Amino acid sequence: MKSVSVRSLVERYKLEILAAEDQLNREITRSKVHRPGLEFVGYFDFFPMNRVQVLGRKEINYLHRLTEEERNLHIGNIVKYRPPCFIVTANQDGLKYLMKYCQEEGIPLLRTSELTTEFITKVDAFLLQALAPEIAVHGVCLNVSGIGILLRGKSGIGKSETAHTLIRRGHRLVADDIVVLKNLSSTTLLGTHNQSTREFLALRSIGLVNVVRLYGRRAFQDETRIVLDIELTQWKDQDLNNELEYEPKFSDYMGVQIPYIELQLQPGRDVAGMIEAAANNWYLKQQGYSAAEEFMKRLQPE
């Protein structure tokens, strides 16, 4: 199971450590943080104990109003489940009683100056990506006109050369050779690099090139949502025809269905241009437009 340490949150968001500084190696294994509201009044039936617990103004003001006996009871009921950490937002103070319990139980108590809603949004996004199931595939990942494309094919078919042409036309490289795919949801697949290949493109007969050094910062981006899976294959005589619209095909990556297109290679065929056309056509379909439907309407007698 993938995990993120509490220390990584401290370093990423510059959090102040109020208690249990020696426990920052505790692991976070669940995405999405939790605000313990019902738990403070004794309802624990669905308490997500493995999540980061965020205490905003509502929670802290509620605790401040309790008697010492009530406060000890409610806080004690929560800390016994040993969540990864507590984070207090908006620089709230008066937390000595909370510091005492967290120190005794070895649960890091952290504080940020950020407002609750904004902070939760940032942390949720970070944990979702960091803890997402992932696989590595051989190919090239590109962002073409704002549309994420996974470009696959046998070794030597011309994936990197095609990517280079697209980069020169103003599109962006995400990853070459090894593409890391992350499952963010049942409908969202994120493509990124594995850090070691970041910004590099391997071109046969030339070697490694750094696309940022060659073409500037706009030639690269760290990640993109994959919406098209395009496979480059060798040309097959009599295999292609001129249908108005092809039956959609899909690839499956960790349960996420991605539209699949096969592009057959032939000398003189503008593969990069075909990929641009596929990306733009996918976008138009998302807007509800079909060229084939419009063409058929034009053929109908008025």
Side-chain angles (χ1 to χ4, degrees), residues 139-140 160-161 164 167 173 175-178 194-215:
V140 181
S160 296
E161 290 80 0
H164 179 253
I167 293 167
L173 174 71
D176 181 40
D177 191 31
I178 299 174
N194 67 350
Q195 292 297 330
S196 63
T197 60
R198 187 177 189 270
E199 300 177 357
F200 288 122
L201 184 67
L203 299 174
R204 290 178 183 271
S205 302
I206 296 177
L208 282 177
V209 298
N210 187 308
V211 298
V212 172
R213 295 295 184 94
L214 283 179
Y215 302 113

Side-chain angles (χ1 to χ4, degrees), residues 9-62:
L9 288 186
V10 172
E11 294 173 351
R12 185 180 184 88
Y13 299 105
K14 304 296 187 293
L15 303 178
E16 181 185 359
I17 305 168
L18 301 179
E21 185 174 1
D22 59 338
Q23 297 296 317
L24 297 184
N25 289 329
R26 299 194 69 195
E27 294 183 343
I28 303 165
T29 58
R30 294 282 301 276
S31 58
K32 289 190 176 295
V33 306
H34 177 67
R35 296 182 69 174
L38 290 175
E39 290 76 20
F40 278 137
V41 296
Y43 186 77
F44 286 89
D45 285 3
F46 301 98
F47 179 43
M49 64 187 75
N50 295 325
R51 294 182 181 175
V52 172
Q53 306 296 312
V54 173
L55 305 177
R57 283 197 172 95
K58 290 181 181 178
E59 292 79 17
I60 295 300
N61 285 340
Y62 172 75

Side-chain angles (χ1 to χ4, degrees), residues 67-82:
T67 64
E68 183 177 353
E69 183 179 355
E70 291 172 331
R71 191 184 298 145
N72 291 340
L73 174 64
H74 293 317
I75 297 175
N77 285 338
I78 288 182
V79 297
K80 71 180 180 182
Y81 286 97
R82 296 186 57 78

Side-chain angles (χ1 to χ4, degrees), residues 25-258:
N25 289 329
R26 299 194 69 195
E27 294 183 343
I28 303 165
T29 58
R30 294 282 301 276
S31 58
K32 289 190 176 295
V33 306
H34 177 67
R35 296 182 69 174
L38 290 175
E39 290 76 20
F40 278 137
V41 296
Y43 186 77
F44 286 89
D45 285 3
F46 301 98
F47 179 43
M49 64 187 75
N50 295 325
R51 294 182 181 175
V52 172
Q53 306 296 312
V54 173
L55 305 177
R57 283 197 172 95
K58 290 181 181 178
E59 292 79 17
I60 295 300
N61 285 340
Y62 172 75
L63 290 176
H64 283 347
R65 293 173 182 173
L66 297 178
T67 64
E68 183 177 353
E69 183 179 355
E70 291 172 331
R71 191 184 298 145
N72 291 340
L73 174 64
H74 293 317
I75 297 175
N77 285 338
I78 288 182
V79 297
K80 71 180 180 182
Y81 286 97
R82 296 186 57 78
C85 64
F86 289 96
I87 303 178
V88 177
T89 59
N91 262 346
Q92 299 176 88
D93 52 17
L95 305 173
K96 287 186 178 180
Y97 55 88
L98 197 55
M99 293 166 59
K100 171 179 174 294
Y101 269 100
C102 287
Q103 190 65 42
E104 290 175 354
E105 295 293 333
I107 302 172
L109 177 63
L110 313 169
R111 182 164 59 186
T112 177
S113 61
E114 294 194 53
L115 298 179
T116 308
T117 303
E118 296 173 357
F119 181 71
I120 287 176
T121 299
K122 291 180 181 179
V123 175
D124 278 349
F126 167 68
L127 291 178
L128 181 63
Q129 285 199 29
L131 300 177
E134 65 180 47
I135 58 173
V137 299
H138 176 66
V140 181
C141 184
L142 298 149
N143 185 283
V144 177
S145 299
I147 295 165
I149 291 177
L150 177 62
L151 188 62
R152 297 186 297 112
K154 292 182 179 179
S155 182
I157 196 75
K159 299 182 297 295
S160 296
E161 290 80 0
T162 300
H164 179 253
T165 301
L166 287 164
I167 293 167
R168 289 191 63 194
R169 293 183 180 183
H171 306 296
R172 297 180 176 182
L173 174 71
V174 176
D176 181 40
D177 191 31
I178 299 174
V179 181
V180 178
L181 300 178
K182 295 190 175 188
N183 181 346
L184 299 189
S185 74
S186 61
T187 59
T188 305
L189 190 71
L190 190 75
T192 186
H193 50 79
N194 67 350
Q195 292 297 330
S196 63
T197 60
R198 187 177 189 270
E199 300 177 357
F200 288 122
L201 184 67
L203 299 174
R204 290 178 183 271
S205 302
I206 296 177
L208 282 177
V209 298
N210 187 308
V211 298
V212 172
R213 295 295 184 94
L214 283 179
Y215 302 113
R217 175 52 55 189
R218 290 192 297 177
F220 174 83
Q221 69 181 57
D222 273 308
E223 58 192 32
T224 188
R225 180 188 175 191
I226 302 293
V227 298
L228 280 179
D229 180 24
I230 298 179
E231 183 179 12
L232 303 184
T233 62
Q234 295 291 349
W235 183 268
K236 304 168 190 173
D237 288 337
Q238 308 301 322
D239 192 58
L240 294 178
N241 51 49
N242 291 322
E243 294 183 18
L244 293 180
E245 193 162 28
Y246 289 94
E247 189 70 23
K249 297 180 181 179
F250 296 89
S251 300
D252 186 287
Y253 295 100
M254 297 176 288
V256 182
Q257 298 289 308
I258 303 296

